[in-house]
């Protein structure tokens, strides 16, 4: 059994820059989106912060968080 890794915190005296956390993506019903693999689509369902259902015309796909490759238009 392994221990979970400790979270490293940035020390103010460190010569290295602190890591910047990327902003979370948020999608709402009706949003027009583009996906690297599926193309243009429209959000038709939102499952909290976990996933969105997108209609790409010829198919519907459930895209899960972190929504890599999907962007708002």
């Amino acid at each position: 059994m392994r221990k979970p890794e400790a979270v490293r915190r940035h020390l103010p005296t460190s010569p290295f820059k602190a890591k910047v956390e990327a902003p979370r993506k948020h999608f709402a019903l009706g949003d027009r989106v583009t996906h690297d693999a599926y193309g243009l689509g429209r959000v038709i369902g939102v499952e909290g912060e976990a996933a969105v259902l997108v209609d790409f015309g010829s198919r519907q796909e459930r895209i899960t968080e972190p929504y890599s490759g999907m962007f708002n238009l």
Side-chain angles (χ1 to χ4, degrees), residues 1-56:
M1 206 161 112
R2 294 179 54 182
K3 288 184 179 180
E5 287 188 29
V7 176
R8 290 187 166 193
R9 61 187 173 96
H10 179 73
L11 298 174
T13 58
S14 174
F16 303 101
K17 293 182 180 179
K19 291 184 180 179
V20 178
E21 188 174 318
R24 296 182 65 130
K25 296 180 181 177
H26 296 280
F27 299 99
L29 285 174
D31 282 356
R32 297 280 299 170
V33 296
T34 182
H35 192 277
D36 291 346
Y38 305 116
L40 296 173
R42 183 175 301 273
V43 176
I44 59 173
V46 178
E47 299 174 12
E49 295 291 322
V52 293
L53 184 62
V54 183
D55 181 14
F56 291 103

